[in-house]
Amino acid sequence: MCSSIRIAIVGGGLAGASLLHALLKYPHLDIHIFESAAEFKEAGAAVGVARNGLAALDLIGSSATECLERAGAVPQRGVRFMLAQGKGKNSMIDEARDGDGHRLTSIVHRAAFLRELLIDVPPERLHPAKKLDRVERSDDGGPVTLYFIDGTAHECDILIGADGIHSMVRKIILDEEDPAAYPRNAGWWAVMALKPYATARSSLGEGLVDADNAREHMWVGDGTYLMHNVLNQGQLVQLVICAYDKDGEASDQWHRMVDAEEIMKLYQGWPPYLNKAVNELLCDQAQQPAMYLWDHPPARTYTSGPICIMGDAAHATTPWQGSGCGMSIEDSLILSTLLGRSKTPAEATVALRVYDQVRRPRTQRIVESSKCTGIIMTGKGEETGLALEKLKQNILPRWDFILDFNNAKARDEAAELMTVELAKI
């Protein structure tokens, strides 16, 4: 007979919401989620869920997959990697497609996906406007107490930090003196725009913007990059430009202002039709904010006793391989599997240790791979540069270990490892 296990999730973004959704099917788990903002919402426009993330959603349950579908996810028929500058410019480097007829990736609006994940959650489990102030743990292995800045408190057996790249829970686990407790500037800045489908199609061309045959396009330039895709059921097109800024790397800058003149100068060497599209779609105002890309250094652990971190709190990554959301969903699959098998708070603590063992190596490998991929995708790879043939040999294989991951096998191996660990206590 399972005793009730009280679980608190701090952070109400996609990571925390996907975990909550996955845990609700276990009646012996008493789960509450706390969000610092006044309401549960997601910042930003679209997020990609690649084949590995889609497989993890399916394993969590059909209701999780239905959330993605109800949110208006647009399946991509492929991802085209294009060379915009250098030898062989205007050529396709390669296209990633799933030849087995399965979904390769789906693009979904963040806010819509979050809404669907939370729509059936009992309201008494949702706690907005709860900014964490401090955490206290019992010396005897007893409960964990969360104190919020509004003066309220909440007692739980297990605390899971899904509180993003600035995670307070990460600092609690690693200690504030550990450099890995803080994110680092990766050196690229990005500008994002959402444009009506007809406007983007008119500027980029029908061959590059096609809702009926949706493909994500990634363009490699000399220190520059362009990505565009169709979302919101074919109503909008998302465009993102990135540029490398050596002075930004290792700085504490999170944002900067970018002049239209600077953008036009960066992209002046691109093919005329792309240069025109950048000018029309991303330079329609004299100055606009750009966001620097950040990630986390590798942490020595994701857990400390009855406390753990997941999602961006554990392994914030640059977006070059589109894996942030997918990793969070994989985390949710493993955590929900292990916590669902736990019969007592002590066993739940063992579950967190197993989660750390199985998830940390993979997620930290993806973070490092993403950063290296960004170097290649902005034409700065030492071996590849802007050489078409070298890019063809090096780009697509970088996704193999991410996309071809066997989530069912990983889930079963984690469950087996937990059985072994429980036998030791």
Side-chain angles (χ1 to χ4, degrees):
M1 186 75 178
C2 298
S3 62
S4 179
I5 302 173
R6 300 168 299 173
I7 298 175
I9 301 171
V10 173
L14 287 177
S18 64
L19 177 61
L20 175 65
H21 188 95
L23 291 173
L24 283 174
K25 62 186 175 185
Y26 298 104
H28 70 291
L29 301 181
D30 178 20
I31 317 115
H32 292 260
I33 187 167
F34 300 86
E35 166 58 34
S36 61
E39 58 183 322
F40 287 81
K41 62 181 181 179
E42 266 285 357
V47 63
V49 186
R51 186 170 65 227
N52 58 301
L54 295 170
L57 271 181
D58 288 341
L59 291 168
I60 287 172
S62 60
S63 63
T65 302
E66 289 166 3
C67 287
L68 188 70
E69 295 169 352
R70 291 198 307 268
V74 178
Q76 304 294 298
R77 295 180 180 271
V79 180
R80 286 178 173 166
F81 298 89
M82 313 292 291
L83 183 62
Q85 290 178 283
K87 186 177 180 180
K89 68 180 180 180
N90 307 324
S91 299
M92 185 164 73
I93 297 168
D94 218 331
E95 181 171 6
R97 288 178 293 182
D98 192 331
D100 296 329
H102 299 107
R103 299 159 294 179
L104 177 70
T105 190
S106 288
I107 307 297
V108 66
H109 197 283
R110 289 173 178 269
F113 190 24
L114 179 68
R115 181 186 65 244
E116 294 300 330
L117 285 169
L118 295 177
I119 197 167
D120 293 326
V121 177
E124 64 270 16
R125 297 184 183 273
L126 301 174
H127 305 276
K130 292 294 180 182
K131 184 174 177 60
L132 190 63
D133 181 44
R134 70 185 193 278
V135 173
E136 290 184 1
R137 281 189 275 183
S138 303
D139 294 333
D140 59 358
V144 177
T145 305
L146 284 58
Y147 293 93
F148 302 97
I149 62 170
D150 65 359
T152 60
H154 180 84
E155 191 175 271
C156 63
D157 301 305
I158 297 293
L159 168 60
I160 300 173
D163 48 340
I165 194 169
H166 299 289
S167 173
M168 176 184 286
V169 182
R170 182 183 180 94
K171 296 180 181 69
I172 292 169
I173 290 173
L174 296 179
D175 189 272
E176 293 191 3
E177 300 302 317
D178 188 335
Y182 304 90
R184 59 191 176 187
N185 190 320
W188 294 279
W189 55 259
V191 171
M192 184 273 290
L194 289 175
K195 296 296 178 180
Y197 177 79
T199 302
R201 197 173 199 217
S202 174
S203 185
L204 280 164
E206 295 182 4
L208 296 178
V209 180
D210 183 358
D212 295 327
N213 195 25
R215 282 174 167 79
E216 190 169 73
H217 288 75
M218 300 184 182
W219 301 84
V220 177
D222 184 8
T224 51
Y225 167 88
L226 168 66
M227 183 274 289
H228 56 87
N229 52 33
V230 178
L231 63 141
N232 201 26
Q233 297 178 317
Q235 298 179 41
L236 295 173
V237 173
Q238 174 182 237
L239 300 104
V240 180
I241 56 171
C242 285
Y244 179 68
D245 176 11
K246 187 175 182 180
D247 292 335
E249 189 170 5
S251 77
D252 59 359
Q253 285 184 276
W254 285 88
H255 299 91
R256 58 167 291 189
M257 297 302 295
V258 180
D259 295 334
E261 183 179 346
E262 181 180 358
I263 295 174
M264 289 187 283
K265 184 176 180 181
L266 285 168
Y267 286 84
Q268 66 183 358
W270 281 48
Y273 67 100
L274 288 175
N275 178 267
K276 171 178 173 288
V278 169
N279 291 346
E280 291 178 349
L281 300 174
L282 290 148
C283 297
D284 52 353
Q285 48 189 311
Q287 196 177 59
Q288 57 188 309
M291 177 181 65
Y292 277 97
L293 306 184
W294 288 62
D295 64 10
H296 271 142
R300 67 182 185 276
T301 182
Y302 289 169
T303 187
S304 174
I307 304 175
C308 81
I309 45 177
M310 64 165 298
D312 282 353
H315 40 70
T317 183
T318 52
W320 296 105
Q321 292 191 275
S323 294
C325 186
M327 285 194 286
S328 295
I329 296 169
E330 289 183 358
D331 289 349
S332 295
L333 172 64
I334 298 301
L335 273 171
S336 62
T337 297
L338 299 176
L339 290 171
R341 288 170 171 261
S342 304
K343 298 176 182 178
T344 64
E347 290 190 1
T349 300
V350 174
L352 299 190
R353 291 206 305 268
V354 173
Y355 155 78
D356 175 65
Q357 291 179 55
V358 299
R359 291 299 298 160
R360 186 157 41 88
R362 171 168 168 77
T363 54
Q364 292 184 353
R365 181 185 177 191
I366 292 175
V367 172
E368 184 61 27
S369 175
S370 178
K371 191 168 186 177
C372 293
T373 301
I375 293 170
I376 295 172
M377 293 295 289
T378 48
K380 299 299 183 182
E382 290 185 6
E383 297 181 5
T384 53
L386 293 170
L388 179 63
E389 291 305 318
K390 290 182 178 179
L391 288 167
K392 284 185 174 181
Q393 295 170 13
N394 283 274
I395 284 185
L396 275 189
R398 299 190 65 81
W399 270 261
D400 290 348
F401 83 98
I402 299 174
L403 298 178
D404 296 337
F405 185 66
N406 189 331
N407 273 284
K409 181 180 178 183
R411 175 201 60 191
D412 294 345
E413 288 178 347
E416 291 172 6
L417 180 56
M418 182 172 171
T419 299
V420 171
E421 293 299 313
L422 287 176
K424 297 177 181 179
I425 61 176

